[in-house]
Amino acid sequence: MANKLQQPPHLHLAELSATQFIDIWNHFDTDGNGYIEGKELENFFRELEISRKGAGVDPSNSTFKEKMKEFMQKFDKNADGRIEMSELAQILPTEENFLLCFREFVGSSSEFMAAWRRYDTDRSGYIEANELKGFLSDLLKKANRHYDDQKLQEYTQTILKMFDLNGDGKLGLSEMARLLPVQENFLLKFQDIKLTSEQFSAIFTFYDKDGNGYIDEQELDALLRDLYEKNKKEVDTKNLTGYKKSIMALSDGGKLYRSELEIVLCREPML
């Protein structure tokens, strides 16, 4: 990526501005895949140790490896061996904790889906820059954070830089959900069973028996169970209830329309 820093930014565990945070992220996420992993992770932890202890940190040392293991146990919440954005926000407090105050505003995936529905005003399956600004403004008010227009613009641009992976100036639902704590990000559970437009259309039409363009909660239950079975995944009733609640937060008075379900289950929403 062209905007990589020549020298790593210092990882002082003091408060960072939003811009410093994204500089650190971009420096260590060298392949731009949204994770710090492998050699990137070792470099990141080495810089973290240097900022704490000064020079003389040797990654081949067994003590270094042990400390890195402890570090990962503490911060790698989903134990996938890599650090994602929401996990890094716990390690490096940002100015006003602007990423973490998202958690105060949206504590669960069902609240997140309800907020998404409120701000995806044109029902496009994306939040665009002007919609994102409103979303963040509301977030900061709810978290009782003081901000001015300049700060709000900086936060909006930082969120776009962090999560707009394809650079189109807008955020899809799955991109925005990366702000959620890993255990609350129910969209991750559907990553392996994302459908093509044709597959989604076929399964939605099957469950929308009367062809009125929406399904209800019971039909959604059957549809999700069907998806799990077809993909040879074990159905956990408790988790399924949570997923249903989160998805139904997108519904209109209990009616879940095709376009709403599509942004959860489809690889790319239809245009």
Side-chain angles (χ1 to χ4, degrees):
M1 291 171 80
N3 64 345
K4 293 294 171 217
L5 305 177
Q6 293 307 303
Q7 294 297 321
H10 289 297
L11 298 178
H12 293 307
L13 299 181
E15 293 250 311
L16 299 165
S17 71
T19 307
Q20 286 170 318
F21 184 93
I22 194 62
D23 281 348
I24 286 169
W25 179 265
N26 281 340
H27 179 79
F28 287 102
D29 180 21
T30 50
D31 57 5
N33 71 346
Y35 294 94
I36 296 175
E37 58 191 335
K39 195 69 181 169
E40 298 168 342
L41 188 56
E42 189 178 287
N43 290 338
F44 172 75
F45 188 68
R46 180 173 170 273
E47 287 299 321
L48 199 58
E49 284 293 280
I50 287 171
S51 76
R52 287 170 173 160
K53 296 165 60 174
V57 176
D58 179 7
S60 63
N61 186 294
S62 59
T63 313
F64 175 88
K65 289 180 177 169
E66 193 56 42
K67 280 193 173 181
M68 187 167 164
K69 189 178 169 186
E70 286 171 21
F71 169 85
M72 291 301 287
Q73 283 171 344
K74 185 174 179 184
F75 290 107
D76 180 20
K77 302 295 183 191
N78 61 347
D80 63 354
R82 53 192 186 174
I83 294 290
E84 61 189 74
M85 182 69 66
S86 59
E87 292 167 335
L88 184 63
Q90 311 276 336
I91 301 164
L92 299 172
T94 64
E95 178 189 54
E96 298 178 8
N97 285 330
F98 90 107
L99 280 177
L100 299 182
C101 74
F102 180 89
R103 309 291 178 77
E104 295 170 34
F105 177 49
V106 182
S108 69
S109 55
S110 56
E111 285 173 36
F112 170 79
M113 295 298 267
W116 175 272
R117 194 175 194 285
R118 225 173 18 254
Y119 286 95
D120 179 17
T121 49
D122 54 6
R123 298 287 178 271
S124 63
Y126 295 94
I127 288 183
E128 297 180 33
N130 59 330
E131 294 167 330
L132 177 62
K133 205 169 177 180
F135 183 93
L136 292 176
S137 173
D138 213 358
L139 179 163
L140 291 162
K141 281 176 193 161
K142 283 207 172 195
N144 293 317
R145 304 281 182 176
H146 174 72
Y147 67 93
D148 54 27
D149 282 345
Q150 186 181 344
K151 193 57 71 181
L152 183 61
Q153 187 62 29
E154 184 191 350
Y155 290 162
T156 304
Q157 289 308 311
T158 301
I159 292 279
L160 278 171
K161 279 184 195 172
M162 286 175 176
F163 298 109
D164 178 19
L165 300 181
N166 59 3
D168 61 0
K170 54 190 181 180
L171 296 175
L173 181 68
S174 57
E175 291 171 322
M176 198 68 181
R178 290 172 61 208
L179 281 166
L180 281 167
V182 169
Q183 64 273 23
E184 273 295 339
N185 191 349
F186 80 104
L187 290 168
L188 292 175
K189 312 292 186 288
F190 293 103
Q191 270 184 341
D192 298 336
I193 52 175
K194 286 281 187 182
L195 306 172
T196 64
S197 297
E198 293 76 17
Q199 288 169 329
F200 172 78
S201 193
I203 197 167
F204 190 90
T205 303
F206 180 78
Y207 283 99
D208 178 20
K209 302 286 187 193
D210 53 8
N212 57 9
Y214 63 82
I215 59 176
D216 61 24
E217 191 167 345
Q218 283 180 311
E219 290 165 331
L220 176 62
D221 184 286
L223 185 152
L224 292 177
R225 287 175 186 275
D226 194 5
L227 271 182
Y228 266 73
E229 282 163 23
K230 279 183 174 153
N231 287 275
K232 297 180 173 58
K233 289 183 179 288
E234 205 172 306
V235 178
D236 180 320
T237 306
K238 186 183 171 190
N239 284 344
L240 192 65
T241 303
Y243 302 157
K244 257 192 321 187
K245 184 182 173 189
S246 298
I247 295 171
M248 287 307 291
L250 286 173
S251 72
D252 184 2
K255 296 175 180 176
L256 184 66
Y257 285 90
R258 177 187 287 264
S259 58
E260 265 93 32
L261 185 57
E262 188 181 21
I263 62 177
V264 176
L265 295 180
C266 244
R267 289 188 190 126
E268 287 292 334
M270 294 180 205
L271 298 174

